[in-house]
Amino acid sequence: MVTMEDVARLAGVSKMTVSNVVNNRGGVGDLVRQRVLEAIRESGYRVNVSARTLKSGRTGVIGLAVPEIDLPYFSHLADLVIDAAARRGYHVAIERTGAAETGEADALAHSRLLQFDGLILSAVALDGLDERLTEAGYPIVMLGERDFGGRFDHVSMPNEAGIKAATGHLADQGCRRIGIVSGPAREGVNVVTRRYRAYLDALTERGLAADPPLLFPLDRMTMEAGRAAAHRMVDSGHEVDGLVAVTDTIAIGVLRGLADRGLRVPDDVRLIGFDDVPEARFLVPSLSTVAPDHRWMAEKAVELVVQRVHAPSRPTGEYVAPFDLMIRESTR
Amino acid sequence: MVTMEDVARLAGVSKMTVSNVVNNRGGVGDLVRQRVLEAIRESGYRVNVSARTLKSGRTGVIGLAVPEIDLPYFSHLADLVIDAAARRGYHVAIERTGAAETGEADALAHSRLLQFDGLILSAVALDGLDERLTEAGYPIVMLGERDFGGRFDHVSMPNEAGIKAATGHLADQGCRRIGIVSGPAREGVNVVTRRYRAYLDALTERGLAADPPLLFPLDRMTMEAGRAAAHRMVDSGHEVDGLVAVTDTIAIGVLRGLADRGLRVPDDVRLIGFDDVPEARFLVPSLSTVAPDHRWMAEKAVELVVQRVHAPSRPTGEYVAPFDLMIRESTR
DNA sequence: TTGAAAGCGCTAACAG
DNA sequence: CTGTTAGCGCTTTCAA
């Protein structure tokens, strides 16, 4: 391994001068700088990030903790966060929190997360984690639909406005019996409850509320579950002419499930989703959906962590992403 | 910040004993261990990974470099690699290599990649990177369809066998004019050329080869490009009754493009893809496809890097993933 | 503009 | 079973 010491010797300068060159710190004569750069090239020197971090206390890395990277929403988000961070000179480390803990000693369990200068934490990943992180006074930005009671900077989706717009759009298209295909959570504040409530509100505003509500529940937020829910809906004989799916992933399953039962979209049932995943435009029929501005969210989240790295005690804020309603074949 | 020193003082032992407890190193009395764990809890101590790494020379981290995490194939792979690595006591750092370099000094450009104990490198990401990495004698496993001339451990997809099986399956279904929708690369060894060649070979074997071949080219490997290619195919009046799409992503676009022109799948044209992305089963019609064993690939890649970490000079090997042919509605 | 000294928090090696 | 010693490679601080 080539160290700074080696480079210094090779260039006939001190370690410190090499460090200054490597970090573009100025105050180094042009001639000396050239000699040092040459020595770096020759020796194949590379900084040891651990040593730098140990000494400086800064990693230059923002952690992004998501429950699964496998999910289109999270991988897309990761991509955007990486861009936003790079623009501010930060690197992003993606951490998957979904899996069970390894056999590490308790004290070490989340130490990796705390290695970073700041953390963008997707809310689903939060359970059993928050106390340790909160107490640390560590720069954290929360992402997701839960309620954090103002304890953190928080960036969320346009849940209420988006679902209201979607439901309203179905009504505008002439739907009178509008159902919702929604996930497992029954209580608390989260994606499912927030969007379900917004759906009910939208129906009430339009005088379309059904009793009992046309809720087609899911046990998981997957395509498979969406398909099964569509089957159950059709088989139970409910006469629904419009459907709101809480996410596009579920909508894809619902689309398939309706096809399985011979129902046509939009002719028999209109369907709208939430997220605007890349496939949405390419499905047959193409999927109408609420398109939150993911780039805006990534940008905001990074901006907030970086700010907080420099001003740890700044008051926290709540931020909701803007959205577009993408009207496509599935509701026309 | 709480250090080991602090914990040691609190527990009335030496730093070393704390270190032993933290690393489950045994040779510590039960009583002392309890005292130390208690002190750790009380003080909220967390290991400083940088210090540990600096001293030990090991990070316990495997890097996974992919061009984009946004692409379903890569995010799925990442997920599987994380699992495989965890089973061996390693952590995975995902690095996106797609974007242009930042303004870092030359010597630093890829230093982050070399911080890890080993690296799984997706081939697309390789350009301009390989020399530096090769010369380092650093544990690397290549992933992807390019030709590395045996310089690295290499895990690849079943390109030839998979595409041959897919093309053969179309022929078995009665297709006689089988086309291929394929990507931009015209030369070299890569996904596109390998799969195109396998398609031609399969046709020749069956006596179905057309001249000129029914190649519908793409400028990019996206859904959008697949859709456009389908449009061009139909508009050009080619009478095709079977289509191989080099990837499922492209197949999704093709499916849509055919629908745009009023062609039905499989009645008018049969279509088969490659990858078995999660959506494949849920499309309407559901998509037949070559399903490489991604889990096998992840497992193999991790196994190989880990081996190489411990035996850097072991001879390299070539490994091709097994696959299944998933026959669904699009070819029935 | 350059350099010397000190030490970040941890662990390997050895001593007790 | 526990403690001591000696750095890992870098940057901060201060002096030249």
Side-chain angles (χ1 to χ4, degrees):
Chain A
M1 154 141 277
V2 188
T3 73
M4 255 185 190
E5 188 82 52
D6 300 326
V7 177
R9 208 172 310 123
L10 205 71
V13 298
S14 79
K15 247 178 10 175
M16 204 47 235
T17 302
V18 178
S19 174
N20 284 333
V21 171
V22 163
N23 294 287
N24 287 316
R25 253 195 298 262
V28 181
D30 262 4
L31 205 99
V32 176
R33 152 167 275 113
Q34 287 315 316
R35 265 217 321 276
V36 169
L37 285 174
E38 177 56 26
I40 287 177
R41 205 151 304 141
E42 242 179 74
S43 59
Y45 166 77
R46 304 187 207 275
V47 256
N48 181 319
V49 180
S50 302
R52 167 188 284 177
T53 300
L54 178 58
K55 184 64 196 181
S56 70
R58 284 260 172 111
T59 61
V61 175
I62 292 170
L64 172 66
V66 296
E68 302 287 334
I69 26 170
D70 208 7
L71 270 32
Y73 166 62
F74 291 119
S75 57
H76 186 215
L77 185 75
D79 220 60
L80 297 170
V81 166
I82 290 175
D83 287 337
R87 240 170 275 131
R88 291 173 174 77
Y90 280 86
H91 191 90
V92 174
I94 306 166
E95 293 286 322
R96 192 188 60 174
T97 56
E101 294 305 325
T102 63
E104 284 185 287
D106 211 23
L108 310 176
H110 299 107
S111 58
R112 197 171 296 278
L113 289 178
L114 298 171
Q115 280 286 117
F116 311 126
D117 290 347
L119 192 57
I120 299 175
L121 193 48
S122 193
V124 201
L126 190 72
D127 304 294
L129 202 77
D130 47 356
E131 306 222 354
R132 291 188 226 203
L133 294 173
T134 327
E135 73 198 17
Y138 176 75
I140 291 191
V141 173
M142 289 294 178
L143 231 48
E145 323 316 319
R146 308 226 318 229
D147 177 20
F148 301 106
R151 289 177 299 143
F152 304 98
D153 277 324
H154 179 199
V155 179
S156 69
M157 299 245 209
N159 295 292
E160 283 75 15
I163 287 288
K164 278 196 175 182
T167 311
H169 166 65
L170 289 177
D172 292 341
Q173 296 294 328
C175 299
R176 285 299 162 265
R177 295 186 52 81
I178 301 174
I180 185 165
V181 184
S182 185
R186 248 345 71 75
E187 48 197 38
V189 177
N190 54 56
V191 215
V192 170
T193 55
R194 291 180 69 172
R195 295 188 186 172
Y196 180 55
R197 179 128 298 284
Y199 151 84
L200 290 179
D201 289 350
L203 290 186
T204 306
E205 280 173 20
R206 301 272 183 153
L208 291 173
D211 191 24
L214 296 168
L215 167 66
F216 304 102
L218 303 165
D219 47 349
R220 298 172 47 217
M221 304 277 275
T222 62
M223 294 185 223
E224 190 58 61
R227 181 183 206 166
H231 290 170
R232 283 199 308 277
M233 183 199 96
V234 177
D235 299 344
S236 69
H238 279 289
E239 300 207 347
V240 165
D241 55 7
L243 268 179
V244 177
V246 262
T247 71
D248 280 0
T249 300
I250 290 165
I252 293 174
V254 169
L255 211 51
R256 177 68 228 190
L258 294 174
D260 291 336
R261 291 296 187 264
L263 285 188
R264 289 161 310 161
V265 176
D267 313 353
D268 300 321
V269 185
R270 285 174 222 266
L271 174 67
I272 190 163
F274 197 113
D275 273 348
D276 198 23
V277 297
E279 307 80 309
R281 293 168 48 213
F282 296 96
L283 296 170
V284 186
S286 57
L287 182 68
S288 294
T289 189
V290 176
D293 191 335
H294 291 123
R295 184 172 299 277
W296 184 96
M297 295 181 72
E299 198 64 47
K300 196 64 174 179
V302 171
E303 179 192 322
L304 289 168
V305 236
V306 171
Q307 274 179 19
R308 193 160 290 279
V309 167
H310 297 105
S313 53
R314 201 174 36 71
T316 62
E318 296 279 340
Y319 305 87
V320 177
F323 70 98
D324 273 334
L325 195 59
M326 309 303 292
I327 297 175
R328 305 206 177 98
E329 293 167 355
S330 71
T331 58
R332 274 207 277 259
Chain B
M1 154 142 279
V2 188
T3 75
M4 256 186 189
E5 189 82 52
D6 300 326
V7 176
R9 208 173 310 123
L10 205 70
V13 297
S14 81
K15 248 181 7 176
M16 203 49 232
T17 301
V18 177
S19 174
N20 286 331
V21 170
V22 163
N23 294 288
N24 287 315
R25 251 195 300 262
V28 181
D30 263 6
L31 206 99
V32 176
R33 153 165 275 113
Q34 287 315 316
R35 265 218 319 276
V36 170
L37 286 174
E38 176 57 27
I40 287 176
R41 203 150 305 140
E42 240 178 76
S43 58
Y45 166 78
R46 304 189 209 273
V47 255
N48 180 319
V49 180
S50 302
R52 168 189 283 177
T53 300
L54 178 59
K55 181 67 196 180
S56 70
R58 286 259 170 114
T59 61
V61 175
I62 293 170
L64 172 66
V66 296
E68 301 288 335
I69 26 171
D70 207 8
L71 268 33
Y73 166 63
F74 291 119
S75 59
H76 187 214
L77 186 75
D79 220 61
L80 296 171
V81 166
I82 291 176
D83 287 337
R87 242 171 274 129
R88 291 172 173 77
Y90 281 86
H91 193 89
V92 174
I94 305 166
E95 293 287 322
R96 191 188 62 174
T97 56
E101 294 304 325
T102 62
E104 283 184 286
D106 212 24
L108 310 177
H110 301 107
S111 59
R112 197 172 295 277
L113 289 177
L114 298 171
Q115 280 286 117
F116 311 125
D117 291 347
L119 192 57
I120 299 175
L121 192 48
S122 196
V124 204
L126 189 72
D127 305 293
L129 202 75
D130 48 355
E131 306 222 355
R132 289 189 226 204
L133 293 172
T134 326
E135 73 197 17
Y138 176 75
I140 290 192
V141 174
M142 290 293 178
L143 231 49
E145 322 316 320
R146 307 226 318 231
D147 178 19
F148 302 105
R151 290 177 299 142
F152 304 98
D153 278 323
H154 179 198
V155 179
S156 70
M157 299 247 209
N159 296 291
E160 284 76 15
I163 287 289
K164 279 196 174 184
T167 311
H169 166 64
L170 288 176
D172 291 342
Q173 296 294 324
C175 299
R176 285 298 163 264
R177 296 185 52 79
I178 301 174
I180 185 165
V181 184
S182 185
R186 250 339 77 73
E187 47 197 38
V189 177
N190 54 57
V191 215
V192 169
T193 56
R194 293 180 69 171
R195 293 187 188 173
Y196 180 54
R197 180 127 297 282
Y199 151 83
L200 290 179
D201 289 349
L203 289 186
T204 306
E205 279 173 22
R206 301 271 182 155
L208 292 174
D211 189 25
L214 296 167
L215 167 65
F216 304 102
L218 303 166
D219 48 347
R220 297 173 48 217
M221 306 275 276
T222 61
M223 294 184 224
E224 190 58 61
R227 182 184 205 165
H231 290 170
R232 283 198 309 277
M233 182 199 94
V234 176
D235 298 344
S236 70
H238 278 291
E239 299 207 347
V240 165
D241 56 7
L243 269 178
V244 177
V246 263
T247 69
D248 280 0
T249 301
I250 290 165
I252 293 174
V254 170
L255 211 52
R256 178 67 228 190
L258 294 173
D260 292 336
R261 291 297 186 264
L263 285 188
R264 288 159 312 157
V265 176
D267 312 341
D268 301 318
V269 185
R270 284 172 223 268
L271 175 67
I272 190 162
F274 197 114
D275 273 349
D276 198 24
V277 299
E279 304 84 306
R281 295 166 49 211
F282 296 96
L283 296 170
V284 185
S286 57
L287 181 68
S288 295
T289 189
V290 176
D293 192 335
H294 292 122
R295 184 173 298 278
W296 184 95
M297 296 181 71
E299 198 64 46
K300 196 63 174 177
V302 171
E303 181 192 322
L304 288 168
V305 237
V306 171
Q307 273 179 19
R308 194 160 288 280
V309 167
H310 296 104
S313 52
R314 201 174 36 71
T316 62
E318 296 279 341
Y319 306 87
V320 178
F323 71 97
D324 273 334
L325 195 59
M326 309 303 291
I327 298 173
R328 305 206 177 98
E329 293 167 356
S330 72
T331 59
R332 273 207 277 259

